[in-house]
Amino acid sequence: MSFSPSDPLLPRQEPSQVLKSIKFLLNPVCGSAPGIASAWLLQARMSYLSGEPDKALEHLEICFNRSEDSVTGATSGAPEAHVLAAQIHICSGDYTQASVHLDQALSLSFDIRDSPQYQLVKAQVSRKVKDLDEALRCLSMAISFSGLTLEGGQVGKKGTKGTHPVGIQDKASIYLEYAEVLSETGQKEKAERTIKDAKSLFLGTPAEARVQLAEADIHTRNGDIDKALKILTGITANHSCYVEAARRMADIHLIHRKDDRLYIQTHKNLAQKVPQSYVTLLLGDAYMKVHNPEKAIEVYESVLKKNPRDANLSRKIGNVLIVTHNYSKAINYYETAFKNMKEPQLLQDLADLYSKLKYYDKAIRVLTDALVGNKQQKVRELNSLIEESKLLILLAKVYAFNEQQDEALNTWRRAHEHQQHLIERVKVEKPESLPRHKQTSASICFELGQIYSQDLLDLDSGT
């Protein structure tokens, strides 16, 4: 775990061998002994680092629902699970939900306050909501609980060591977050001293390159662009954070120097040095950022040729066509892509586009055909049932838009009945995702309630 990455992977980025090895070890443990809550917590952390936040939250639901570990009998896993959930919500920008999970962690165990990870995540939430004094207080405590001290902004090794184990990446996160907050509060010299101490402390460790990135960020914030670029240029292709360093260089060219050409050139150089799909897609995203969708589509399609079954990438290309108002081409693209892949999500996007263009009859035709296709399957897998739920909900909305109220009501009823059946399957086959499907059921009930209440109003008014 000490050698695992500190941040989630980018979309389509290949997991490192470390992540693959950890997952290889965890999967049989969770499968054969599902009562071990600590194993599910590790599984959730691996899913989070692998760029799968939804799956991570589903694993955490298992931790929340187990009052104690079936092997150790300990109940301490749940607070740590809430801390990880808060961290995931920070990444998605939901700071309110992150605070809720931190409060739940504290309500389960006051000892969690002595955890450096808890104080770090609390500081991150405080920083995001601009409570920088609280962020500094939490980070000072986190450093102390990590077994180190801060004296005049410098890190020493004589702190009060806490009872919660702290890995090298977590320690680095604490110090770097501390330096960032100092920089944001205008304490430039303290921030630079903290970075200097961190460079010494993490020299030769997996966190060394992260310190360089943080140092470059602080120089950028202080307006010293040349220093920042010099540091980022020194991070070569053999470093694990080379891609991130190149992205930050590109952002400096775009945001601070207003140079679109260098921004694109930096991404082109990165794609040449790291010839992987996820890096090439970053080039496409860069073209979109400088308002060149034609070039972006060229790049996306070059990646799609190597991954012809990538439905998400096809959806991305279709979305670009919609953004550029090339609706006819988008419609043809979705239709062709669906014929090649048979992915229901592509049909949903096509129906959604028809609906936005007010081609309601075409949207209804696409959705009803898709539902018939689903019904013809002899063996209904869980994913197929989930897709059918989405199709029914979209179809009900299209009927409502087209003012076909009776059809809309009947479809919402079908959706409600189907969702209840789906929930029974989920309870057995995928219990960790049950809250999400119950939320969908509640949304369907709300729509039905809206229709029934309107019918009562119409009766009262005699219309």
Side-chain angles (χ1 to χ4, degrees), residues 142-361:
I143 289 170
S144 177
F145 295 147
S146 299
L148 299 136
T149 60
L150 281 170
E151 297 176 0
Q154 292 183 317
V155 180
K157 294 190 177 180
K158 296 181 180 178
T160 304
K161 189 155 184 163
T163 57
H164 297 263
V166 190
I168 194 73
Q169 293 288 10
D170 283 335
K171 283 185 179 180
S173 295
I174 292 167
Y175 298 134
L176 299 183
E177 189 78 15
Y178 185 73
E180 291 276 0
V181 177
L182 286 172
S183 176
E184 288 182 15
T185 56
Q187 301 180 64
K188 182 179 176 181
E189 291 183 2
K190 277 190 175 183
E192 290 177 352
R193 285 203 303 269
T194 302
I195 286 291
K196 182 180 177 181
D197 294 334
K199 286 169 74 174
S200 173
L201 186 63
F202 300 110
L203 182 66
T205 72
E208 182 178 5
R210 290 181 61 203
V211 178
Q212 291 177 281
L213 288 177
E215 185 180 16
D217 285 346
I218 289 174
H219 285 308
T220 301
R221 186 177 292 110
N222 293 335
D224 198 341
I225 302 303
D226 291 334
K227 262 190 180 180
L229 288 173
K230 184 178 179 181
I231 292 169
L232 293 171
T233 305
I235 300 176
T236 55
N238 61 327
H239 284 82
S240 60
C241 63
Y242 171 68
V243 172
E244 185 58 33
R247 292 179 69 193
R248 295 189 190 191
M249 283 178 61
D251 287 342
I252 288 173
H253 291 312
L254 180 66
I255 298 168
H256 298 277
R257 292 190 165 172
K258 312 298 181 185
D259 193 331
D260 291 4
R261 185 188 62 81
L262 269 179
Y263 174 69
I264 293 297
Q265 190 57 51
T266 303
H267 274 287
K268 281 184 176 178
N269 294 340
L270 176 60
Q272 288 173 356
K273 290 184 179 180
V274 186
Q276 296 183 28
S277 294
Y278 83 98
V279 177
T280 307
L281 289 174
L282 293 176
L283 174 59
D285 295 343
Y287 276 122
M288 285 297 295
K289 210 164 189 177
V290 297
H291 309 293
N292 193 341
E294 292 79 13
K295 280 285 187 182
I297 289 174
E298 285 181 20
V299 173
Y300 294 148
E301 287 183 336
S302 72
V303 177
L304 189 61
K305 286 179 182 177
K306 299 175 184 176
N307 307 273
R309 307 293 299 175
D310 192 335
N312 287 330
L313 183 52
S314 294
R315 297 178 71 197
K316 189 169 190 171
I317 295 171
N319 188 57
V320 173
L321 292 169
I322 293 171
V323 168
T324 56
H325 307 293
N326 201 339
Y327 300 124
S328 297
K329 192 172 181 180
I331 288 170
N332 292 333
Y333 184 84
Y334 280 130
E335 289 177 344
T336 303
F338 178 73
K339 287 177 183 176
N340 294 334
M341 299 184 200
K342 302 299 180 185
E343 283 288 341
Q345 290 177 330
L346 292 167
L347 270 188
Q348 289 178 43
D349 288 349
L350 176 59
D352 193 42
L353 176 57
Y354 277 140
S355 180
K356 287 176 180 176
L357 296 173
K358 298 186 178 179
Y359 299 159
Y360 297 124
D361 291 341

Side-chain angles (χ1 to χ4, degrees), residues 395-396 399-400 403-413:
L395 179 59
Y399 276 133
E403 298 183 354
Q404 294 176 258
Q405 302 305 333
D406 289 342
E407 289 82 356
L409 175 58
N410 289 333
T411 307
W412 280 121
R413 285 171 173 165

Side-chain angles (χ1 to χ4, degrees), residues 53-164:
D54 291 339
K55 186 178 287 187
L57 289 172
E58 289 178 359
H59 293 327
L60 288 174
E61 281 294 334
I62 297 177
C63 298
F64 301 152
N65 294 331
R66 280 162 172 71
S67 59
E68 63 180 36
D69 194 301
S70 65
V71 174
T72 65
T75 58
S76 58
E80 281 80 3
H82 281 291
V83 172
L84 177 56
Q87 194 173 2
I88 294 169
H89 285 297
I90 290 173
C91 289
S92 65
D94 191 347
Y95 311 127
T96 301
Q97 195 60 35
S99 295
V100 168
H101 278 288
L102 289 174
D103 290 342
Q104 288 177 323
L106 190 60
S107 69
L108 289 169
S109 171
F110 284 114
D111 290 341
I112 197 69
R113 289 178 299 183
D114 299 336
S115 163
Q117 291 91 343
Y118 171 82
Q119 295 295 344
L120 169 62
V121 175
K122 188 176 180 183
Q124 289 171 336
V125 173
S126 299
R127 180 186 174 193
K128 293 296 184 181
V129 299
K130 304 302 180 184
D131 189 352
L132 299 182
D133 290 338
E134 176 65 11
L136 284 175
R137 187 188 69 81
C138 292
L139 289 166
S140 297
M141 293 175 66
I143 289 170
S144 177
F145 295 147
S146 299
L148 299 136
T149 60
L150 281 170
E151 297 176 0
Q154 292 183 317
V155 180
K157 294 190 177 180
K158 296 181 180 178
T160 304
K161 189 155 184 163
T163 57
H164 297 263

